Amino acid sequence: MRRIAPSPYRCALLTAALAPLVLITGCAEGGGVRVEGTAGTAAVSPSASQRPTPSTKVDPVALLSNDPKVGTDIKRDLKPCAGHEYPIDTSYGYVTGNSVPDVVINVQTCADGLGLGSYVYRMENGEYTDVFGDEQPPVTIEIDKNDLMLTRQVYGPEDKVCCPSGEDVITYHWTGDRFAETSRTHSDYGKKAADG
């Protein structure tokens, strides 16, 4: 069997005919060819839509109890409300740019769920380290996209626990070694909301 070498003209026609197929295949959803640049050195956080869980179970009570940065009042009041349920809300997420999920802990009162203290723990050198804490009640924190959002209810002299006059929302962003405030907003609920 004899092989015939294609002419330059045929090569040009074949290349022109196959070019759209290569482009379509390369952009196909769920597969195809993807060309990437060189890998950067910056840490990449998984998307906020993922539900991260740590590789080992985290005991929030032990984290708080053994943390020298946590106030003695918080540690003293860290007791179960009923049975074995502690007044603690624990969540996980990527807020410090780490590849391991951060632990976000809110400590509350048993009676009315008032936020007593809020903390962020980051995995460093194989153990979780306290990198953020706020113990000025009422306070709660949560992860908003890749930022930390702190909410503090504002009470007037006549306000009941159920009915604050307003709230402050402070957003923090991780700078590589600490959280820095990036924005602050205040909402005033007004007299009607306070009475309601």
Side-chain angles (χ1 to χ4, degrees):
M1 185 171 153
R2 195 171 56 144
R3 293 185 181 173
I4 300 173
S7 69
Y9 176 74
R10 283 188 171 179
C11 285
L13 283 178
L14 186 60
T15 301
L18 292 177
L21 293 175
V22 170
L23 288 174
I24 291 171
T25 304
C27 297
E29 187 175 342
V33 178
R34 186 169 69 185
V35 178
E36 301 281 353
T38 56
T41 56
V44 177
S45 297
S47 71
S49 62
Q50 294 177 336
R51 297 178 183 263
T53 54
S55 56
T56 57
K57 186 171 175 64
V58 174
D59 182 351
V61 176
L63 273 180
L64 296 169
S65 299
N66 297 319
D67 185 353
K69 295 181 182 178
V70 174
T72 54
D73 290 343
I74 296 287
K75 291 181 179 179
R76 184 181 61 242
D77 295 335
L78 202 56
K79 299 173 184 174
C81 296
H84 299 291
E85 295 292 325
Y86 281 84
I88 296 175
D89 177 41
T90 306
S91 58
Y92 303 92
Y94 298 95
V95 72
T96 68
N98 208 350
S99 60
V100 179
D102 303 306
V103 183
V104 176
I105 301 175
N106 287 293
V107 180
Q108 305 159 345
T109 59
C110 289
D112 46 33
L114 191 73
L116 297 176
S118 299
Y119 311 88
V120 177
Y121 289 87
R122 182 178 196 267
M123 180 63 75
E124 294 180 352
N125 300 318
E127 62 182 26
Y128 277 104
T129 304
D130 184 344
V131 293
F132 181 90
D134 189 307
E135 296 179 342
Q136 298 177 4
V139 62
T140 57
I141 57 173
E142 61 182 322
I143 296 175
D144 180 30
K145 296 177 183 173
N146 287 323
D147 287 334
L148 186 66
M149 189 169 68
L150 180 147
T151 303
R152 190 185 318 280
Q153 294 173 325
V154 178
Y155 288 88
E158 304 297 322
D159 291 344
K160 298 176 183 177
V161 173
C162 69
C163 309
S165 296
E167 72 177 15
D168 291 326
V169 177
I170 307 168
T171 303
Y172 295 92
H173 186 76
W174 184 253
T175 64
D177 61 352
R178 65 182 181 86
F179 284 102
E181 181 179 326
T182 57
S183 69
R184 179 184 293 253
T185 58
H186 174 78
S187 299
D188 190 355
Y189 298 154
K191 184 67 175 169
K192 182 180 285 188
D195 290 343

